[in-house]
Amino acid sequence: MNEPLVASMREFGTTIFAEMTALAVRTGSINLGQGFPDTDGPDAMLEHAVAAIRAGGNQYPPGPGIPELRQAVAEHRKQHYGLLYDPDGEILVTVGATEAIAASLLALCDTGDEVILFEPYYDSYSAVVALSGAVRRPVPLRPVAGRFTFDPDELRAAVGPRTRAIVVNTPHNPTGTVFTRDELSQIAALCQEHDLIAISDEVYEHLTFDGVEHVPIATLPGMRERTVMISSAGKTFSVTGWKIGWLCAPARLVTAVQTVKQFLTYTAGGPWQVAVAHALREELGWVAGLRDSLAAKRDRLMTGLSAAGFGVYRPAGTYFVQTDIRPLGFADGGELARRLPELAGVVAVPTQVFYDRPELGRHFLRFAFCKRDEIIDEAVARLAHLGRPGKRTDNVV
Ligand SMILES: *Cc1c(COP(=O)(O)O)cnc(C)c1O
């Protein structure tokens, strides 16, 4: 039989997370690869889900999401960002942020349209751009004074007559950059000049550190009308297995996205939607605690990685620390990631897999710190010997 997979998807094998998590399980390694928390979300939220199941809320919820959740999202947008969205028509509940991203790109980008992605990027973007028949135009984020950012000229040069959308992800996975108002203004100016849509992945909107403020691009002048703003309860409330997300956008965009979404999943997660509606109203204090706890975990992991000899970038948000492996004498993150279980009993993700041009990220390795302190400490202890001369390999630069 011929290759069964459609041509547009052939460059996408198994996701790196599946590969690295399987490697961690097989070798008994500590998994700092995939970014999922190893502690639960707020108790009362979990109880609301249980109660909703017991109360018989187990049939199809409405296509756009249950009204209580859409109402809670609208209130939350207003309180936090001063953004007004109509719960009836401007808010769509999705199967995680992943479906919100997929349905948005599929609905809004036609064959041959171009989509700008900042690389390294979350891996689903490139696959969905390919599914939609659109073409990706990568713009690199590079470290400048210890923080990953883009070159405004490179961004401008990537926009052409076929450009349809820019995918903006802030706080950014995997670099930990939180775009400043100035950076977002440069993106916004291009969107307005060239009539582009901003697809804004803000799943880490509450997880910023050191007082760094998350600015939604929709709050910039002229941007609400051309932005699809995407959130994830999985990230905000530490329930990544629930896959409840939502998007907020002007009605004409939501209608377009919902047209696609209804045939992907129609709807999902009724009892979890009830619980997330509760959490958005009652558990933001819990989220503040999560943010503080993550900031401390970031410091714990950074200190350990730096002591082990990695070059370490300080993330202003997210679950992840980006490291440079060259000070340890390694050159290729892909090779090191596959050997790290044997060398140290730890799994991390090679950042190069998040690039169109892997050579730009060849020497980076991403570690997740959304783990219990004792797990981070054990990982750091195991990595402490990595740089010792006896452990060096033919990979030495
Ligand atoms: C985790 C993550 C997602 C996916 O969110 P889900 O709600 O789990 O689908 C999307 N974008 C980024 C940047 C992420 O880190």
Side-chain angles (χ1 to χ4, degrees):
M1 203 167 86
N2 292 334
E3 164 67 71
L5 183 62
V6 293
S8 66
M9 290 302 287
R10 280 185 207 151
E11 66 173 298
F12 305 98
T14 311
T15 82
I16 190 68
F17 307 111
E19 184 188 342
M20 288 297 147
T21 296
L23 183 63
V25 170
R26 196 165 69 241
T27 58
S29 295
I30 295 179
N31 188 359
L32 301 187
Q34 199 171 7
F36 59 88
D38 59 359
T39 50
D40 253 332
D43 278 341
M45 179 186 75
L46 307 182
E47 289 309 323
H48 270 80
V50 172
I53 291 171
R54 296 258 179 247
N58 300 306
Q59 307 309 327
Y60 296 128
I66 62 167
E68 305 95 282
L69 178 53
R70 284 181 280 125
Q71 187 64 45
V73 168
E75 285 165 18
H76 177 268
R77 301 291 98 167
K78 181 170 174 222
Q79 270 163 23
H80 270 260
Y81 306 125
L83 285 168
L84 300 179
Y85 288 100
D86 183 349
D88 297 316
E90 295 191 314
I91 295 174
L92 180 63
V93 176
T94 55
V95 182
T98 305
E99 190 194 38
I101 293 159
S104 298
L105 286 165
L106 290 168
L108 303 172
C109 300
D110 234 320
T111 306
D113 282 350
E114 295 180 7
V115 179
I116 293 181
L117 305 178
F118 292 101
E119 65 178 343
Y121 47 69
Y122 187 66
D123 64 345
S124 80
Y125 305 163
S126 52
V128 181
V129 169
L131 277 177
S132 73
V135 178
R136 55 186 189 264
R137 287 279 169 250
V139 174
L141 299 177
R142 295 195 186 85
V144 177
R147 173 181 177 275
F148 285 74
T149 186
F150 58 88
D151 174 340
D153 294 333
E154 263 178 317
L155 176 60
R156 184 165 288 277
V159 178
R162 292 303 309 263
T163 310
R164 172 73 171 150
I166 302 187
V167 178
V168 181
N169 170 214
T170 183
H172 183 259
N173 172 10
T175 67
T177 285
V178 179
F179 281 146
T180 61
R181 198 172 286 278
D182 185 48
E183 286 164 333
L184 291 168
S185 299
Q186 294 169 24
I187 299 170
L190 284 174
C191 288
Q192 288 172 66
E193 260 170 57
H194 298 271
D195 194 21
L196 313 180
I197 297 168
I199 297 177
S200 185
D201 177 345
E202 303 178 27
V203 302
Y204 299 102
E205 61 193 307
H206 293 290
L207 306 182
T208 62
F209 315 129
D210 312 324
V212 171
E213 184 198 9
H214 166 64
V215 180
I217 196 166
T219 60
L220 271 58
M223 286 307 289
R224 183 196 180 281
E225 66 200 64
R226 55 177 68 255
T227 300
V228 179
M229 180 187 202
I230 295 171
S231 298
S232 166
K235 299 290 162 63
T236 295
F237 299 112
S238 296
V239 282
T240 59
W242 285 14
K243 295 296 281 190
I244 300 294
W246 56 87
L247 58 88
C248 302
R252 70 195 164 83
L253 295 180
V254 170
T255 302
V257 176
Q258 198 181 343
T259 303
V260 169
K261 185 257 189 299
Q262 68 190 335
F263 299 117
L264 292 176
T265 57
Y266 179 48
T267 185
W272 292 274
Q273 292 191 30
V274 173
V276 172
H278 153 83
L280 274 175
R281 291 189 166 127
E282 306 289 341
E283 303 290 356
L284 292 174
W286 182 93
V287 176
L290 171 66
R291 181 175 56 230
D292 293 346
S293 139
L294 281 172
K297 290 176 189 299
R298 172 200 61 175
D299 293 346
R300 205 175 189 101
L301 182 60
M302 281 179 65
T303 305
L305 290 173
S306 157
F310 288 91
V312 179
Y313 295 97
R314 184 181 189 82
T318 76
Y319 286 167
F320 307 106
V321 171
Q322 192 68 248
T323 64
D324 187 336
I325 62 174
R326 290 174 299 185
L328 280 163
F330 297 99
D332 188 287
E335 207 175 311
L336 180 57
R338 284 175 184 88
R339 294 192 54 212
L340 205 55
E342 155 219 334
L343 292 173
V346 173
V347 162
V349 167
T351 310
Q352 60 187 242
V353 302
F354 304 124
Y355 287 80
D356 263 34
R357 296 159 291 187
E359 64 278 10
L360 296 179
R362 190 160 169 254
H363 49 281
F364 296 129
L365 208 52
R366 189 195 80 170
F367 290 87
F369 53 80
C370 48
K371 306 292 175 184
R372 280 171 287 138
D373 288 348
E374 57 271 30
I375 301 291
I376 295 174
D377 290 346
E378 175 61 24
V380 160
R382 292 181 182 193
L383 289 165
H385 307 293
L386 197 61
R388 277 204 323 236
K391 294 267 183 175
R392 294 232 171 151
T393 67
D394 45 7
N395 211 5
V396 170
V397 272

